[in-house]
Amino acid sequence: MNPTLWRRLLAEFAGTALLVTAVVGSGIMATQLSDDIGLQLLENSVATAFALGALILTFGPVSGAHFNPVVSAADWFLGRRTGTGLSARDLGGYVVVQTAGAIGGAILADLMFRLPAVDFSAKHRTGMDLWLGEVVATTGLLLLIFALARSGRSSVAPAAVGAYIGAAYWFTSSTSFANPAVTIGRAFTDTFAGIAPSSVPGFIAAQLVGLAVGVGLLLALYPSVGSAAGDVVVAHPDDESVRS
């Protein structure tokens, strides 16, 4: 039995907020510490990877630590036939709180560095090359998460998912947003990690394509992957201390 819905939604809100705080905050700090853009990206990616792993460990036992509407949507879709994973009601709640948390996280990072709370980004990120990068990043993320769950290795998800996102900063042209909620949140800060609001729809569309490609590959590679949807990203323990 999973924790009650309101507790899971709170965990998804807080976890997504802190994730975006880490992404944006480390980007701001990187620009303050170095003038070299390669070093700035290294600092930003390392901080994000470690923060993501820690947040999955923290919130995974409560909500599964999705922090990402694409992961939640795949969890709902793949689990429908086996009665596992998120319900449609849960999915709607997850997407709303993840998006709200991402916006709140960007605002929190700006305030910590004495910047305007909301300053929409002027950094345009558009073009087929960047959209293809988002398809690749999102597809790879879903393959990793659900393959770990299907093979009973969800316990290594914090390290594996953090490592993947840290690496994808470097091997994708888009620096691997791979998350519609985080993409929206990053539009609220005109800093290193920002994205112009006009560029957000293209990124989200590419992420949804990645969702479709990732789900299709998962069904081809792991036909029974839906049975493991309840273990994404981290299995929910049947422990009274967590539920109560």
Side-chain angles (χ1 to χ4, degrees):
M1 180 178 179
N2 291 336
T4 56
L5 180 58
W6 76 265
R7 294 182 66 191
R8 288 185 282 135
L9 294 180
L10 178 59
E12 284 296 300
F13 174 85
T16 310
L18 290 172
L19 173 59
V20 175
T21 300
V23 172
V24 174
S26 62
I28 297 171
M29 181 65 80
T31 59
Q32 295 180 353
L33 295 175
S34 174
D35 293 326
D36 183 271
I37 192 158
L39 185 55
Q40 291 171 356
L41 185 62
L42 177 63
E43 293 161 347
N44 188 209
S45 63
V46 169
T48 299
F50 279 109
L52 179 56
L55 291 169
I56 293 173
L57 285 171
T58 301
F59 296 105
V62 180
S63 68
H66 293 186
F67 311 149
N68 187 335
V70 163
V71 174
S72 298
D75 189 58
W76 164 75
F77 182 82
L78 292 171
R80 287 183 308 158
R81 289 176 296 178
T82 55
T84 60
L86 297 179
S87 67
R89 173 172 171 258
D90 292 348
L91 173 61
Y94 269 47
V95 171
V96 169
V97 298
Q98 288 160 354
T99 304
I103 295 170
I107 292 172
L108 177 59
D110 282 344
L111 291 175
M112 284 199 300
F113 287 90
R114 302 183 70 178
L115 297 173
V118 175
D119 189 10
F120 291 109
S121 177
K123 185 175 292 186
H124 294 279
R125 303 177 188 255
T126 187
M128 288 298 299
D129 56 332
L130 300 185
W131 298 334
L132 179 59
E134 281 300 287
V135 173
V136 171
T138 306
T139 299
L141 178 63
L142 291 177
L143 288 174
L144 171 63
I145 290 172
F146 284 87
L148 289 175
R150 178 63 184 84
S151 59
R153 294 176 293 165
S154 290
S155 61
V156 303
V161 174
Y164 174 82
I165 291 298
Y169 260 78
W170 292 89
F171 72 72
T172 64
S173 56
S174 62
T175 66
S176 183
F177 286 48
N179 185 327
V182 168
T183 302
I184 292 170
R186 288 169 65 167
F188 283 73
T189 177
D190 192 20
T191 58
F192 182 81
I195 178 173
S198 61
S199 299
V200 168
F203 264 55
I204 292 179
Q207 291 155 5
L208 294 177
V209 172
L211 167 63
V213 174
V215 166
L217 285 172
L218 283 166
L219 289 172
L221 294 169
Y222 302 97
S224 61
V225 66
S227 62
D231 295 334
V232 174
V233 173
V234 175
H236 304 153
D238 291 323
D239 186 293
E240 191 63 33
S241 64
V242 174
R243 294 198 302 270
S244 61

